[in-house]
């Protein structure tokens, strides 16, 4: 179902947007002044209060500022295609361009484009796991309607041609998606699996809209669960490569490449630390165990809505391996446990740390001795967490670094137990 607007909200929007377009200034022939679009916030607030169903779909497909994100992104993309960038050009009215003189007609066209949403996208990110296909033995492994692991071949390359990307600003840059620098396009790399994520909504050239956040969430959740289940493990990060998210938009029956995006540095660092667990080899027994783990992951992702809390926790567990800050890693790992084991009402009575420690100890321990050890470990964990969050602690001591390892170990055991309970 598209975002068709009833006349009573469409007409005020058209009037307001035409007024904004008549006053917008454009820099360098490419960049419309984004500040005037903030005037659409009043209309968005009205939708949120009086059109809750429409607003819910806008947030799902676009963002919490859907009008600004769509109109500004579409307008910017159009200017980049139709106009020549000029560094020396001063600001000039949008209406001075021939295509935008009739601001009311432009407003109607932009609104019609908005009403046609959602659009379909497929997004790809390389998973740097060498020998994955050799053990998997398949070109594609479908985890859910939204998430698959794929390997490229000739047919895939014809369906998803090389995606354009902004050329590197530095003379030398290691790249993890294989750019062909002379053409500023990404090429598919052999021997590595790719995440293929199917999403609907709106993806522009700049802002991180809801579909892109969903792509990030599914990738990070997969990595967190795969770490917890022992499918993959982390190693030392030698040199973080630059990695890309390639986006393809469905236009009738064809998939059209959009400008690729550079992945956030922290996510790249997390992905580049991963490798297949050393226990997996090309033997028949190892392959069978490998498939069994993937089947557990498929079971979780095929009921994504029901298992959202588990997936959110797994996302934060993986995030604790992303980036360079051990302090943030510690906080992120505790968030993983808080998502699964927390309860606001009970925490107000007994205290969050005590609640989590008891729930964790009773969930994963196999003996009274182990239960007592976990309770003792949790005291150290939450003491360190409190020092970080409430006192601004600036580094971990060696013993606290050991506590971080223990914390991550507890996260993985809790996640595994939760999967078993499904």
């Amino acid at each position: 179902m598209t975002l068709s607007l009833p006349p009573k909200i469409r007409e005020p929007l058209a009037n307001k947007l035409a007024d904004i377009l008549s006053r917008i200034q454009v820099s360098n022939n490419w960049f419309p002044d984004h500040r005037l679009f903030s005037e659409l916030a009043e209309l968005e607030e009205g939708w949120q209060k009086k059109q809750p169903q429409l607003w819910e779909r806008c947030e799902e497909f676009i963002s919490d500022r859907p009008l600004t994100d769509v109109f500004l992104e579409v307008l910017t993309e159009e200017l980049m295609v139709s106009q020549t960038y000029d560094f020396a050009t001063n600001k000039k009215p949008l209406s001075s361009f021939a295509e935008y003189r009739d601001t009311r007609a432009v407003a109607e066209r932009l609104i019609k484009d908005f009403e046609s949403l959602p659009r379909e996208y497929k997004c790809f990110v390389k998973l740097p796991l060498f020998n994955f296909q050799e053990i998997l033995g398949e070109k594609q492994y479908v985890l859910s309607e939204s998430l698959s692991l794929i390997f490229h071949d000739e047919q895939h390359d014809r369906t998803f041609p090389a995606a354009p990307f902004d050329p590197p600003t530095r003379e030398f840059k290691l790249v993890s998606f294989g750019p062909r620098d002379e053409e500023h396009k990404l090429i598919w790399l052999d021997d590595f699996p790719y995440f293929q994520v199917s999403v609907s909504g709106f993806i522009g050239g700049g802002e991180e809209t809801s579909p892109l956040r969903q792509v990030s969430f599914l990738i990070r959740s997969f990595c967190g669960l795969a770490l917890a289940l022992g499918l993959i493990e982390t190693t030392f990060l030698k040199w973080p490569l630059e990695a890309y998210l390639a986006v393809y938009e469905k236009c009738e029956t064809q998939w059209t490449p959009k400008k690729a995006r550079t992945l956030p540095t922290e996510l790249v660092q997390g992905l580049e630390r991963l490798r297949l667990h050393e226990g997996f080899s090309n033997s028949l027994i190892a392959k069978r165990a490998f498939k069994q783990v993937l089947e557990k992951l498929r079971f979780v992702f095929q009921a994504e809505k029901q298992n959202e809390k588990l997936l959110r926790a797994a996302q934060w567990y993986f995030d604790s391996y992303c980036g360079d800050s051990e302090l943030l890693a510690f906080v992120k790992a505790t968030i993983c446990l808080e998502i699964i084991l927390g309860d606001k009402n009970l925490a107000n009575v007994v205290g969050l740390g005590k609640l989590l420690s008891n729930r964790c100890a009773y969930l994963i321990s196999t003996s009274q001795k182990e239960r007592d050890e976990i309770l003792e470990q949790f005291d150290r964990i939450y003491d360190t967490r409190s020092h970080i969050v409430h006192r601004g602690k600036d580094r971990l001591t060696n013993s606290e670094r050991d506590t971080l390892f223990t914390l991550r170990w507890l996260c993985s055991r809790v996640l595994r137990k939760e999967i078993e309970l499904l």
Side-chain angles (χ1 to χ4, degrees), residues 213-394:
R213 286 192 287 273
Q214 179 69 3
V215 171
S216 176
F217 163 62
L218 290 174
I219 289 174
R220 290 149 64 201
S221 297
F222 173 90
C223 292
L225 292 178
L227 279 168
L229 291 172
L231 182 76
I232 56 179
E233 58 187 358
T234 59
T235 185
F236 291 105
L237 182 64
K238 296 179 180 178
W239 184 268
L241 305 179
E242 183 152 295
Y244 291 88
L245 167 70
V247 179
Y248 293 80
E249 180 180 316
K250 191 170 187 180
C251 301
E252 297 181 350
T253 60
Q254 301 293 320
W255 290 98
T256 303
K258 297 179 70 69
K259 187 182 73 175
R261 293 163 172 264
T262 305
L263 290 176
T265 301
E266 285 196 350
L267 179 56
V268 176
Q269 290 175 332
L271 291 173
E272 291 296 332
R273 284 191 173 100
L274 302 179
R275 67 179 181 187
L276 278 180
H277 195 281
E278 63 180 2
F280 292 112
S281 65
N282 207 21
S283 70
L284 185 60
I285 295 176
K287 284 184 176 182
R288 189 178 296 120
F290 186 81
K291 286 285 186 71
Q292 287 172 349
V293 177
L294 284 176
E295 283 300 311
K296 291 182 180 180
L297 290 169
R298 192 209 299 264
F299 184 78
V300 175
F301 280 97
Q302 285 186 339
E304 181 186 325
K305 292 295 184 184
Q306 297 93 310
N307 298 326
E308 183 176 2
K309 186 165 75 168
L310 173 60
L311 293 172
R312 290 287 174 195
Q315 166 199 318
W316 282 99
Y317 173 53
F318 173 64
D319 284 352
S320 75
Y321 290 96
C322 298
D324 298 320
S325 172
E326 291 179 327
L327 297 171
L328 289 178
F330 203 102
V331 174
K332 291 172 182 177
T334 58
I335 291 174
C336 167
L337 295 181
E338 288 171 9
I339 291 172
I340 294 181
L341 304 174
D343 184 307
K344 184 177 180 181
N345 293 329
L346 287 176
N348 290 336
V349 177
V350 301
L352 181 59
K354 189 63 66 177
L355 173 67
L356 296 183
S357 64
N358 278 280
R359 284 189 166 183
C360 182
Y362 278 85
L363 178 66
I364 66 175
S365 60
T366 57
S367 67
Q368 181 63 50
K369 180 182 178 181
E370 186 180 18
R371 185 177 298 162
D372 293 340
E373 289 174 351
I374 291 174
L375 291 171
E376 183 180 339
Q377 290 165 344
F378 242 97
D379 287 340
R380 293 197 298 271
I381 288 170
Y382 253 75
D383 183 59
T384 301
R385 175 195 177 277
S386 296
H387 278 74
I388 295 171
V389 174
H390 301 299
R391 302 185 189 178
K393 186 178 179 64
D394 63 352

Side-chain angles (χ1 to χ4, degrees), residues 101-112:
R101 285 196 185 120
D102 187 344
T103 55
R104 177 68 188 211
V106 175
E108 291 288 347
R109 176 172 58 77
L110 291 175
I111 293 171
K112 186 177 180 180

Side-chain angles (χ1 to χ4, degrees), residues 136-169:
L136 180 63
E138 302 175 24
K139 281 287 186 182
Q140 182 176 22
Y141 191 88
V142 178
L143 291 151
S144 69
E145 291 183 359
S146 301
L147 181 63
S148 298
L149 294 170
I150 64 102
F151 292 86
H152 84 100
D153 54 22
E154 290 183 4
Q155 180 179 347
H156 177 273
D157 294 356
R158 286 193 297 270
T159 305
F160 301 99
F165 75 108
D166 284 337
T169 55

Side-chain angles (χ1 to χ4, degrees), residues 25-33 85-86 89-92:
Q25 299 286 313
V26 178
S27 302
N28 310 118
N29 291 341
W30 272 16
F31 306 111
D33 189 347
Y85 179 83
D86 187 350
T89 300
N90 294 324
K91 289 183 179 180
K92 58 184 179 181

Side-chain angles (χ1 to χ4, degrees), residues 403-418:
T403 303
L404 173 59
F405 297 145
T406 300
L407 172 57
R408 284 174 169 160
W409 174 74
L410 290 173
C411 287
S412 66
R413 290 193 60 183
V414 167
L415 289 170
R416 288 201 305 270
K417 188 65 177 181
E418 288 294 308

Side-chain angles (χ1 to χ4, degrees), residues 1-176:
M1 183 184 298
T2 59
L3 293 176
S4 298
L5 304 179
K8 64 180 180 180
I9 66 173
R10 195 185 195 283
E11 186 64 20
L13 173 60
N15 292 334
K16 185 64 179 177
L17 182 58
D19 174 57
I20 291 173
L21 294 174
S22 70
R23 294 181 284 127
I24 277 184
Q25 299 286 313
V26 178
S27 302
N28 310 118
N29 291 341
W30 272 16
F31 306 111
D33 189 347
H34 66 277
R35 290 173 294 182
L36 286 177
F37 283 96
S38 63
E39 296 179 15
L40 294 169
E42 185 177 346
L43 293 177
E44 291 172 335
E45 290 172 5
W47 290 13
Q48 192 171 6
K49 294 175 182 177
K50 299 177 182 179
Q51 302 286 335
Q53 290 183 327
L54 172 62
W55 182 256
E56 184 178 330
R57 288 171 60 77
C58 286
E59 281 195 306
E60 177 187 354
F61 293 143
I62 310 166
S63 68
D64 58 358
R65 54 172 205 173
L67 298 177
T68 298
D69 283 345
V70 172
F71 296 146
L72 182 58
E73 292 270 359
V74 170
L75 193 58
T76 303
E77 286 185 12
E78 289 180 355
L79 289 170
M80 287 182 172
V81 171
S82 64
Q83 306 300 319
T84 301
Y85 179 83
D86 187 350
F87 177 78
T89 300
N90 294 324
K91 289 183 179 180
K92 58 184 179 181
L94 175 68
S95 56
S96 66
F97 297 97
E99 305 95 316
Y100 300 96
R101 285 196 185 120
D102 187 344
T103 55
R104 177 68 188 211
V106 175
E108 291 288 347
R109 176 172 58 77
L110 291 175
I111 293 171
K112 186 177 180 180
D113 199 31
F114 180 91
E115 290 182 303
S116 70
L117 298 175
R119 300 173 190 165
E120 292 183 49
Y121 300 93
K122 287 193 185 293
C123 303
F124 298 88
V125 171
K126 193 196 79 174
L127 180 59
L129 299 180
F130 193 70
N131 289 337
F132 193 97
Q133 185 179 8
E134 185 178 349
I135 300 173
L136 180 63
E138 302 175 24
K139 281 287 186 182
Q140 182 176 22
Y141 191 88
V142 178
L143 291 151
S144 69
E145 291 183 359
S146 301
L147 181 63
S148 298
L149 294 170
I150 64 102
F151 292 86
H152 84 100
D153 54 22
E154 290 183 4
Q155 180 179 347
H156 177 273
D157 294 356
R158 286 193 297 270
T159 305
F160 301 99
F165 75 108
D166 284 337
T169 55
R170 298 190 296 273
E171 291 184 3
F172 175 74
K173 186 176 288 188
L174 295 174
V175 183
S176 174

